[in-house]
Structures are given as structure tokens and as C-alpha cells.
Amino acid sequence: MIRKLHSVVAALALVGTVGLAAGPAQAVDANYFKGKTIRLIVDFKPGGGTDTQARYFAAKWGKFLPGNPRITVSNLFPNPSGRNYVWSSKPDGLTLSFVASASTGREMMDKNAKFEIAKFVQIGSHAKRDVVLLGRGTLPYNSLLEAKGSKAMIVLAEPAGAASDLDGKLLAVGMLSMWLDAPLKIASVARSGTADSLLMLERGDTTGYIAGSQWYALPKLRPGWFKSGYVKPLADLGHPDTPAVPNSEIKMPLPNAVTWMTPEQKSLWEGLVLPGIIYGKGITAPPGLPADIAKVLRDSYAKATKDPSFAAGLERIQGQPIIFLHGAKLQTMITKATVSFKKTLPKLGKLRKDVYSRYFKGVKVPTIPENISGKVARVERGGRYISVGGHRVRVTNARSKIT
């Protein structure tokens, strides 16, 4: 029994050190990074959110590292070309991935992934990956749990044309709705950017919306929507280990969705949903990174995110609060999530089919055209809304052109 207990303790201790080079961590030479260049590899084209944040780190992070090294950004796309490159790079702390998500278990789903996510050395992350199901305030219930038996339908519009397209937040909402027997319908649309989704909510084409970082951005995009009750959270589907943070108008009024699940449902959720929402933006290093270098990178990352000036600039760019997770904790979370994902992966196909067959039938949402022509039939709210060509159009900014 004692021998078995020692084995368990040793196994748990190992979880937090996967990917690190063997041997005790020693203090890295204070001059190790001096005069050197760290490359942050981004899997996306220049100009996007991940690239913009990487370039902010390139400009600001160096002063928090001993030796104040130069930091550059290289864009290797399409995704996951950047991670493939870092996977085979020298583990010296000079080539790092600046990633948009943990992507746990990706190698089991993507034939182009030439790596094992759990073996990357996690340096840290600074943004959580929120998933919040929002509903119009006109819905007669205040949570997905209360929705059972209601005839008031939650109508979503998402770009999914087949069961195989169901993944991430959409699969999560579908699974939870199915388990709670909630009144949900999902319409397939060609595109569903934030602007399109909010417009469909305003027109009444939809009554729900799955928000990620928009949980924080919506008070700026649509001031007063939360405070007035125009929209309300129906489910918090984020990671239970990183609770929802209040936005500028309201706090999350609901418990995490895992509290509504049976043990069997929790097991599926831990395997198929949580691995994808461990974190948002973060930094990883190649396998075999010496523990002393990993410690310096992790500690400097933590120090930077606690610096008022650095944090204020980063929060302004990403549009949400910094939620820092240390690399050592992430290593444990991702190792555990990978095991769960692999165990439940054989059940993914049936779950996708069940959700698709139940919720994607008989719902049509009008396609929003890129350009609308016709006679202006009505003007509302001082010209912010107009009716033209059978469409109620919101004039959003100075680039909107009316002829």
C-alpha cells in the first residue's frame, strides 16, 4: 500500500514537469538573455488580435527579462505552421509560440499538427477563454436551467452546415441544451461576425448569442444592453477553474454550468469542452526547455502582467481584463485535459450528430447582404436605424455610406 501511494505521488509530481528537461532547476546566468533575440512565432497573418498582442509583448516584455533581450515577431501561417516550427526548434528559450488558445488535443484532430500539445512547455497565459450564452431580455426565463418546458425558443445563427462543423462553443451550447432539455434552435448562416450577430439580435431574427470576449466588449459596442436587461446571461460555459470576471456593467449572475450536470455529463464536458477553453492568449516553448530557463520566462511573464503600465496597455489592446495563469499550473491542467480528451474522443461523433439533428432543423434566418439598395422607407432613432429594401439597417459608423 505504501509503495502504491509513493507511485501515485510521484506520478502527480511528474504532471507539472512534462516537457521540461530532466534535472533540478538551477539559477540561470543573469547574462543568459543579454545580447540575444527571442522570437515569438504567431500562427496567423499580421494585423489580427493575436499578432497585435505578440507585437506588444515584443516591444514591452524584454525589460522584465534579465539582460533585456531584443524580441521580434515572426508570422508562420496557415495555422498550425507556427507551432510545428516551434515544436522542432532548439529548446533554449529563444524561440517561443505566442498562441491564441491552448488547442489541447489538436494533434488527435488535425493531420497537419506535427506536435503533441501536452509536451510543449507552458510559459503562461494572460487571457481567459470565456463562453457565455446570452439571451434577449424578452425571454421568460433567466437561465438555461430554467428554460426547460418553455415555448419561448432560444434562436441562434451560426456558420455550421453539417454535424462535423460542431465544435468549441457551439458544441458546448448544444450539449448543455440537450442535457437540460432547453428550447433551442440553431440556424445555419454563411457568416456570423460580431456585427452580424448583434444586428440579428436587434432585428429579432435571433434571440440568443454565444459570446466569448464580447462578454467584455459588449458594454462598449452596445452600451446599456446588460444594465438595462436588453440581453442577459443564460449560461456561463467557461472553465470552472477560472471564474467569470465582471464586465463594466454587470457581474455574472449564474453559477458555472458544470454545477447543472450529472457526473456522466461532467465527464463528457471535461473531455470535449474544457480542453478547448483552458486559456486564451499565451506563450509556450519547445519540449526539453531547461527548467531554469522556463522559470525565468514564467516569472518575468508574471511580473510583466502585474506591472501597472504593461497591464493597462495589454488590457486596452485585448479588450478584457488580464487573468494570468502561471505555466506550471497550465502544464498540469493541459496534461490532465489531454488524458480526458483522448478518453472521450470516440464519443464526439455521436454527440455532434445528436446535437445537429435536434437543433438545426426548420430554422431560417435572413441572409444579411453586403450591400443594400432601394428606397429608404423609414428612419428611426435620429437616423441610427433605417429601413431599406426590406431590411432594418443600423448605421454603425462614419464608414457607412447612404446614397
Side-chain angles (χ1 to χ4, degrees), residues 215-220 223-224 226-227 245-251 321:
W215 165 250
Y216 305 103
L218 205 54
K220 293 183 179 180
F226 282 119
K227 187 177 292 186
V245 175
N247 61 34
S248 61
E249 290 189 355
I250 65 169
K251 295 179 180 180

Side-chain angles (χ1 to χ4, degrees), residues 14-21 83 87 101-108 113-123 275 278-279 284-289 298 327-342:
L14 182 62
V15 165
T17 60
V18 169
L20 295 176
R83 288 198 189 191
W87 172 258
S101 67
S103 297
T104 311
R106 178 164 184 171
E107 66 273 14
M108 303 177 208
K114 310 301 181 184
F115 48 74
E116 296 178 50
I117 287 291
K119 292 185 179 180
F120 278 108
V121 176
Q122 301 295 320
I123 304 303
I278 291 176
Y279 65 80
T284 67
L289 182 71
R298 288 170 170 174
K329 179 177 180 178
L330 288 179
Q331 206 79 51
T332 300
M333 293 174 70
I334 290 173
T335 301
K336 178 183 176 182
T338 301
V339 173
S340 297
F341 182 73
K342 186 175 183 179

Side-chain angles (χ1 to χ4, degrees), residues 19 34 202 216 268 277 352 356 395:
K34 188 175 182 179
E202 290 171 319
Y216 305 103
L268 288 170
I277 56 174
R352 280 174 164 172
Y356 191 82
V395 183

Side-chain angles (χ1 to χ4, degrees), residues 1-12:
M1 181 66 183
I2 293 176
R3 182 178 300 170
K4 183 177 181 181
L5 179 61
H6 280 308
S7 298
V8 172
V9 172
L12 289 174

Side-chain angles (χ1 to χ4, degrees), residues 40 127 141 145 172 215 222 303 373:
L40 299 179
Y141 38 80
L145 185 64
W215 165 250
R222 297 292 191 274
K303 185 177 179 181
S373 61

Side-chain angles (χ1 to χ4, degrees), residues 75-141:
N75 302 82
L76 299 180
F77 49 88
N79 192 1
S81 300
R83 288 198 189 191
N84 285 338
Y85 178 83
V86 173
W87 172 258
S88 58
S89 296
K90 185 178 179 181
D92 55 7
L94 301 180
T95 305
L96 307 172
S97 273
F98 195 97
V99 298
S101 67
S103 297
T104 311
R106 178 164 184 171
E107 66 273 14
M108 303 177 208
M109 302 286 290
D110 185 353
K111 64 181 181 181
N112 294 315
K114 310 301 181 184
F115 48 74
E116 296 178 50
I117 287 291
K119 292 185 179 180
F120 278 108
V121 176
Q122 301 295 320
I123 304 303
S125 72
H126 58 270
K128 70 188 298 287
R129 203 166 179 83
D130 292 276
V131 182
V132 182
L133 175 62
L134 302 177
R136 282 286 300 268
T138 52
L139 293 171
Y141 38 80

Side-chain angles (χ1 to χ4, degrees), residues 25-30 32-33 38 61-62 64-67 69 93 123 289-304 326:
Q26 299 178 6
V28 70
D29 189 320
Y32 176 76
F33 286 108
I38 295 175
W61 186 28
F64 297 96
L65 285 157
I123 304 303
L289 182 71
D292 56 344
I293 298 177
K295 185 179 186 307
V296 169
L297 291 170
R298 288 170 170 174
D299 291 349
S300 68
Y301 194 169
K303 185 177 179 181
H326 194 274

Side-chain angles (χ1 to χ4, degrees), residues 160-218:
S164 57
D165 295 332
L166 300 187
D167 222 336
K169 63 183 184 180
L170 182 55
L171 178 63
V173 169
M175 287 168 59
L176 186 61
S177 298
M178 187 168 62
W179 293 338
L180 298 178
D181 195 22
L184 174 70
K185 289 292 182 181
I186 307 172
S188 294
V189 292
R191 58 192 175 94
S192 66
T194 299
D196 296 332
S197 297
L198 298 184
L199 177 58
M200 286 186 280
L201 270 175
E202 290 171 319
R203 295 191 318 195
D205 297 328
T206 60
T207 58
Y209 172 55
I210 308 173
S213 60
Q214 295 85 2
W215 165 250
Y216 305 103
L218 205 54

